[in-house]
């Protein structure tokens, strides 16, 4: 039986996990990985998409326009926005793993905004890729409760673990096209919808010392991510940083 061709775009710890799953389950899934695109990221683990690509001598894609025609295109925490002609390289299905509930949190900084919004749940989603950002039909999802005083680092770690479980449990059904696609627009009456840009995090980190203590604590918990600039307040134009105690 001819194998399905698959292109993988991804980064960070979750990207490496998903690629490793695909590599370990190639025979079971009847797939052949014909190209990989990635770059180093602050949230990479010890094993990265790049290191797996080298270890398994997979073809490296340098530019999105070089994506070959394939059966499946899979994106996991990829850093570039694909255009329609990139997505159409996949003849059967193009899928994105978005580590947030949809349509509630499209775009970036979803962990921070979930804490600021004081929601008591979060989620992770496998959705069909369409032109635009995180707006395709939902194929599979996991949702889970989160504690009221959670920190952004802990929410990220929890979401990575839930995303690993989602991917492991659902990848076979994705390859077999065994799912019921749900349009995000059909969920708007029961779920809100937000979209956030990556640059918004810069404003979230500026803490006003005149805010009520609860609000200060919430914004600090939402933005104090190790490896990145910490939240701060200004004294005579100088940044004074907070950190997790």
């Amino acid at each position: 039986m001819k194998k399905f061709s698959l292109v993988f775009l991804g980064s960070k710890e979750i990207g490496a996990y998903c690629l490793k799953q695909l590599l370990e389950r190639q025979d079971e899934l009847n797939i052949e990985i014909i190209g990989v695109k990635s770059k180093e990221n602050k949230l990479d683990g010890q094993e990265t998409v790049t290191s797996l690509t080298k270890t398994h001598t997979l073809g490296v894609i340098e530019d999105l326009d070089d994506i070959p025609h394939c059966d499946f295109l899979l994106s996991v925490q990829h850093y570039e926005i694909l255009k329609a002609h990139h997505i159409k390289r996949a003849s059967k299905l193009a899928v994105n793993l978005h580590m947030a509930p949809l349509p509630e949190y499209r775009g970036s900084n979803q962990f921070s905004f979930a804490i600021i919004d004081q929601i008591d749940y979060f989620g992770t989603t496998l959705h069909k890729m369409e032109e635009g950002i995180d707006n395709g039909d939902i194929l599979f999802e996991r949702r889970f409760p989160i504690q009221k005083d959670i920190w952004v680092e802990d929410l990220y770690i929890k979401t990575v673990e839930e995303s690993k479980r989602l991917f492991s449990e659902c990848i076979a059904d994705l390859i077999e096209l065994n799912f019921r696609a749900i349009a995000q627009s059909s969920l708007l009456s029961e779920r809100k919808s937000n979209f956030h840009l990556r640059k918004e995090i810069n404003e979230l980190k500026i803490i006003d010392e005149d805010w009520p203590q609860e609000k200060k604590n919430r914004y600090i918990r939402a933005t104090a991510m190790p490896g990145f600039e910490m939240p701060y307040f200004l004294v005579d134009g100088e940044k004074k940083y907070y950190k997790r105690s």
Side-chain angles (χ1 to χ4, degrees):
M1 182 185 297
K2 182 179 180 295
K3 290 183 177 292
F4 296 120
S5 56
L6 184 146
V7 169
F8 185 86
L9 315 174
S11 64
K12 305 179 184 178
E13 177 188 350
I14 183 61
Y17 175 87
C18 293
L19 178 57
K20 191 170 184 177
Q21 280 278 303
L22 293 171
L23 288 165
E24 292 176 348
R25 298 170 63 181
Q26 284 186 91
D27 290 340
E28 170 200 341
L29 299 171
N30 193 38
I31 59 171
E32 178 185 5
I33 302 169
I34 62 171
V36 176
K37 191 174 191 307
S38 185
K39 74 171 184 178
E40 292 184 0
N41 187 280
K42 289 182 180 181
L43 296 174
D44 278 339
Q46 289 186 338
E47 192 168 52
T48 68
V49 171
T50 299
S51 69
L52 287 168
T53 301
K54 293 178 180 178
T55 301
H56 294 271
T57 59
L58 301 174
V60 175
I61 298 170
E62 299 291 350
D63 188 276
L64 289 178
D65 287 339
D66 296 331
I67 293 175
H69 290 282
C70 56
D71 294 308
F72 294 94
L73 176 62
L74 181 59
S75 172
V76 180
Q77 293 293 287
H78 189 60
Y79 55 96
E80 298 168 295
I81 299 173
L82 275 65
K83 301 294 186 183
H85 67 277
H86 299 134
I87 297 169
K88 289 178 180 177
R89 300 288 172 86
S91 61
K92 293 186 178 295
L93 184 67
V95 180
N96 179 50
L97 173 57
H98 180 62
M99 293 207 304
L102 290 175
E104 293 97 319
Y105 291 97
R106 296 171 49 232
S108 301
N109 308 315
Q110 59 268 38
F111 310 105
S112 296
F113 278 103
I115 293 173
I116 288 170
D117 293 342
Q118 303 182 78
I119 63 172
D120 55 10
Y121 71 94
F122 202 64
T124 184
T125 312
L126 284 161
H127 69 93
K128 185 177 180 180
M129 292 183 71
E130 296 179 358
E131 192 169 24
I133 300 175
D134 304 326
N135 57 356
D137 292 351
I138 294 171
L139 306 179
F140 296 98
E141 64 180 0
R142 285 187 63 81
R143 293 191 167 216
F144 49 89
I146 55 176
Q147 63 197 59
K148 184 177 180 180
D149 59 350
I150 197 166
W151 287 71
V152 64
E153 178 183 12
D154 299 327
L155 180 53
Y156 174 79
I157 292 170
K158 172 66 173 174
T159 309
V160 168
E161 292 307 309
E162 294 288 346
S163 298
K164 289 177 179 179
R165 184 173 175 181
L166 176 70
F167 186 85
S168 297
E169 292 178 352
C170 299
I171 184 58
D173 283 328
L174 281 176
I175 298 299
E176 294 171 8
L177 304 180
N178 181 28
F179 51 75
R180 181 173 67 89
I182 301 174
Q184 292 190 45
S185 59
S186 70
L187 300 172
L188 294 179
S189 61
E190 59 185 279
R191 303 180 183 182
K192 64 180 181 179
S193 180
N194 295 298
F195 175 78
H196 296 290
L197 298 171
R198 186 169 294 144
K199 64 182 180 181
E200 291 179 58
I201 194 68
N202 298 324
E203 293 184 5
L204 296 183
K205 292 181 179 182
I206 306 172
I207 310 299
D208 189 331
E209 282 288 274
D210 292 329
W211 285 349
Q213 190 61 48
E214 184 279 329
K215 183 176 181 179
K216 286 195 292 185
N217 291 344
R218 182 159 33 100
Y219 274 67
I220 291 167
R221 287 190 291 104
T223 58
M225 186 67 175
F228 297 84
E229 184 180 34
M230 290 288 110
Y232 60 88
F233 63 100
L234 294 170
V235 177
D236 297 328
E238 182 180 355
K239 294 180 180 179
K240 301 292 185 180
Y241 290 100
Y242 295 93
K243 62 180 180 179
R244 184 172 182 176
S245 57

